[in-house]
Amino acid sequence: MVEFKLIILKMIANQSLIRTIIGVTGNVISCGLFLSPMPTYIQIIKSKDVKKFSPIPYLATLLNCLLWFFYGLPIVHPNSLLVITINGIGIAFEIFYLTVFLIYAARQGRLKVIKLLALEAVFMIAVVTLVLLLIHTTTKRSLVVGILCIIFGTCMYASPLVVMKLVIQTKSVEFMPFTLSLASFLNGVCWTIYGFLPFDINLLVPNGLGTLFGLAQLILYACYFKSTPNKNTKAEVELPV
């Protein structure tokens, strides 16, 4: 009986170690995902023009990171430090990207982004206020905020569908960066595995879908890479996180 208990304890310890390793790996890959749009934004800064790049993926990623950051706090879902760290980093990157977009976008595009940012701010204030005031246990808070994370995490991973549609219409991957697509796929795979250790449906659903969407982007890239017109300035493919 004692030996059986020791075996169980070792299994739990090993699972915790594996979860930590995968979580750290996920943080590194996610950082790569957040960095992947950088070539595109360097291009935007140099040309002083946002061209056809869409801000929607970045707006979706910002809201997603804000929700996951809240989810990872001890007052909502204890023992989720790695969730807090990577989403805090993500928030900083998305704010930078959207700031650049606001600087170089046309007036109409700039107003659209400002309105959407205002809506996101109001939404987050409402969520934080209602959850903390009306729900008093971390189990129930995790459930409610987790459902929101699933919904908006799915929206974030689905946001590249706009870019994928453009790729199919133009038969060009100019505006869908390979680095971003690959990082999205690897990020989804890593956090899906993390969601199994232990089982966390809130992590599993959006990241499982993210894996599928990332794979779809890579398949599109393989299909249309050769038909993309060559240009003197190498175009990067962009997406959100």
Side-chain angles (χ1 to χ4, degrees), residues 47-184:
S47 64
K48 301 185 187 303
D49 184 5
V50 298
K51 300 180 181 180
K52 292 183 180 180
F53 291 110
S54 172
I56 299 302
Y58 306 96
L59 288 163
T61 302
L62 176 61
L63 181 57
N64 183 67
C65 287
L66 287 169
L67 282 169
W68 279 111
F69 185 88
F70 183 47
Y71 177 84
L73 293 176
I75 55 176
V76 176
H77 194 75
N79 304 315
S80 300
L81 178 61
L82 293 174
V83 175
I84 294 175
T85 54
I86 192 55
N87 284 286
I89 293 171
I91 290 169
F93 273 110
E94 300 312 313
I95 289 175
F96 168 74
Y97 294 140
L98 289 169
T99 299
V100 172
F101 194 93
L102 286 171
I103 292 172
Y104 295 108
R107 183 174 182 275
Q108 184 177 0
R110 191 181 301 122
L111 289 175
K112 179 182 178 181
V113 171
I114 291 174
K115 288 178 182 178
L116 290 174
L117 282 173
L119 285 175
E120 288 189 1
V122 171
F123 175 76
M124 281 305 304
I125 291 172
V127 168
V128 172
T129 302
L130 292 174
V131 167
L132 296 183
L133 291 181
L134 301 181
I135 305 175
H136 304 293
T137 66
T138 55
T139 300
K140 291 182 179 179
R141 287 174 178 176
S142 295
L143 175 63
V144 173
V145 180
I147 290 173
L148 292 175
C149 287
I150 289 176
I151 294 171
F152 289 97
T154 301
C155 291
M156 181 199 77
Y157 280 120
S159 61
L161 290 174
V162 177
V163 181
M164 292 167 68
K165 179 182 177 182
L166 181 63
V167 170
I168 295 172
Q169 289 176 335
T170 62
K171 294 181 170 32
S172 169
V173 295
E174 179 183 359
F175 298 104
M176 187 183 75
F178 174 76
T179 52
L180 185 55
S181 300
L182 179 61
S184 294

Side-chain angles (χ1 to χ4, degrees), residues 172-200:
S172 169
V173 295
E174 179 183 359
F175 298 104
M176 187 183 75
F178 174 76
T179 52
L180 185 55
S181 300
L182 179 61
S184 294
F185 173 70
L186 294 176
N187 184 67
V189 169
C190 193
W191 287 106
T192 297
I193 296 173
Y194 186 85
F196 278 110
L197 302 168
F199 185 80
D200 187 339

Side-chain angles (χ1 to χ4, degrees), residues 29-46:
I29 294 175
S30 294
C31 281
L33 181 60
F34 292 134
L35 279 169
S36 61
M38 194 62 72
T40 297
Y41 275 82
I42 291 175
Q43 179 184 335
I44 289 174
I45 293 171
K46 288 181 177 179

